Amino acid sequence: MTTLSSNGLPLSFDEELFTPLRDSTELRSRPSSLRARLRADGCLYLRGVLAREDVLRLREAYFASCDPVLLAPGTTHREGVFSGRVPPGLPAHGVPGHPAHAFVRTETFHRFLADPALSALAETLLGGPVQMLPRRILRHFHRGSRLASRAHVDRDYMDRGSDRVLTMWIPVGDCPPATGGLVYLEGSHTLPPAAYAPLRATGDRPGDRRPISHDLTTTARALGRRWMWADYAAGDVMVHLPHIIHASLDTTTDAMRLSVDARFVRCGDTPDPRWLRAWSGDDGA
Ligand SMILES: O=C(O)CCC(=O)C(=O)O
């Protein structure tokens, strides 16, 4: 049996804790079925929304902007293979001075996210003209860090505006579970928040009301649900609702995990004001 981990805690990759995400790619040409699937599942796994080459070019551009110490000798920026060494003096992820902070402010990044495939998908799902919120996050994980995203719902991080928000999670490179893919707790968008609130007291951040838990095994067992996973490829896009519980796995491969997450609201809806500025790792939102 394979063992994965999240935030350093081992997780058995078995049928008790995991089940594959339903592939909704074929519904893309049927808007009402696609919307119904999103309501039913709380998320959509869509393959090949973006051109693989465009995604890999973004990966290449980001790693080219990093200190070469980070990359294994003899490998390319596009591969993004970790050398095992973090550049000395590297600031915390996404804060000024870290390459991710500069990269989300580049024309290359803006052009990538302006791909009409993304806005067209959001318009189909939200049923009208949309706006992508300016706070777009670039996440970068490497093996050995034992860092991953804790189980959470997006609404707890953006609760000062309309909850008619869609998140798109875009792996920037192939991303099987061992590279640190996103996982979703099945049917959890229908749970009342009171059902998972007690888990916060058992997590590693009991003073923070936003993350639910760093412990994905306990979360799955306490709520009697499995984590839905996929073997993501460059070009795939996940869409999810703000009330579904999700988390990420640790990166244990040599290939580094790079991803972007962006949010859409309907034009005319009031967005959370904290999401109207470019992302910075220290913006507290
Ligand atoms: O990429 C991650 O680890 C977390 C992403 C996430 O939580 C989101 O896109 O809502």
Side-chain angles (χ1 to χ4, degrees):
M1 182 190 30
T2 312
T3 302
L4 300 171
S5 66
S6 181
N7 288 292
L9 298 182
L11 270 166
S12 303
F13 191 47
D14 61 19
E15 288 175 1
E16 183 214 344
L17 291 181
F18 286 94
T19 191
L21 273 160
R22 187 144 67 141
D23 183 345
S24 296
T25 310
E26 287 194 353
L27 300 184
R28 278 189 71 200
S29 55
R30 290 161 32 212
S32 61
S33 304
L34 196 65
R35 286 191 287 269
R37 176 68 65 83
L38 178 62
R39 278 194 302 276
D41 289 0
C43 62
L44 295 171
Y45 165 41
L46 299 170
R47 287 181 297 106
V49 173
L50 298 170
R52 179 176 175 83
E53 176 58 25
D54 292 350
V55 176
L56 295 179
R57 227 183 285 125
L58 191 77
R59 183 175 176 88
E60 182 171 7
Y62 173 70
F63 286 120
S65 78
C66 294
D67 188 319
V69 161
L70 189 73
L71 293 148
T75 63
T76 63
H77 293 133
R78 183 174 281 229
E79 289 167 317
V81 176
F82 185 42
S83 63
R85 289 188 301 143
V86 175
L90 183 71
H93 183 73
V95 309
H98 186 283
H101 183 275
F103 196 73
V104 300
R105 289 162 176 78
T106 61
E107 197 45 43
T108 302
F109 187 73
H110 295 155
R111 233 181 298 119
F112 174 78
L113 284 175
D115 192 313
L118 299 178
S119 49
L121 177 60
E123 285 185 8
T124 298
L125 293 168
L126 288 171
V130 296
Q131 172 198 1
M132 185 191 279
L133 301 184
R135 187 172 186 269
R136 301 140 191 186
I137 306 176
L138 182 72
R139 302 186 201 250
H140 166 192
F141 295 92
H142 58 71
R143 67 173 155 72
S145 71
R146 296 161 65 94
L147 290 175
S149 299
R150 295 169 176 77
H152 68 281
V153 300
D154 287 358
R155 179 64 179 163
D156 285 331
Y157 290 82
M158 42 189 335
D159 56 359
R160 298 187 196 157
S162 166
D163 76 346
R164 195 160 56 159
V165 180
L166 285 183
T167 297
M168 290 192 190
W169 182 80
I170 306 168
V172 183
D174 296 337
C175 189
T179 298
L182 217 60
V183 290
Y184 292 86
L185 200 64
E186 52 182 354
S188 56
H189 58 301
T190 63
L191 287 171
Y196 50 80
L199 283 167
R200 293 200 170 91
T202 66
D204 65 348
R205 285 202 178 162
D208 187 343
R209 61 163 193 85
R210 299 175 304 171
I212 296 169
S213 178
H214 68 305
D215 183 341
L216 303 196
T217 303
T218 300
T219 301
R221 289 192 178 141
L223 298 172
R225 288 152 201 268
R226 294 166 296 181
W227 291 104
M228 301 188 290
W229 66 278
D231 183 358
Y232 304 105
D236 296 350
V237 172
M238 279 302 304
V239 182
H240 64 253
L241 296 177
H243 298 287
I244 190 162
I245 299 176
H246 55 291
S248 69
L249 300 167
D250 288 343
T251 302
T252 56
T253 54
D254 288 341
M256 292 183 272
R257 194 262 262 194
L258 193 67
S259 65
V260 176
D261 41 278
R263 273 102 195 142
F264 288 88
V265 296
R266 272 279 292 263
C267 291
D269 281 357
T270 307
D272 186 317
R274 295 168 296 180
W275 290 72
L276 296 177
R277 287 185 295 271
W279 166 73
S280 177
D282 56 2
D283 64 16

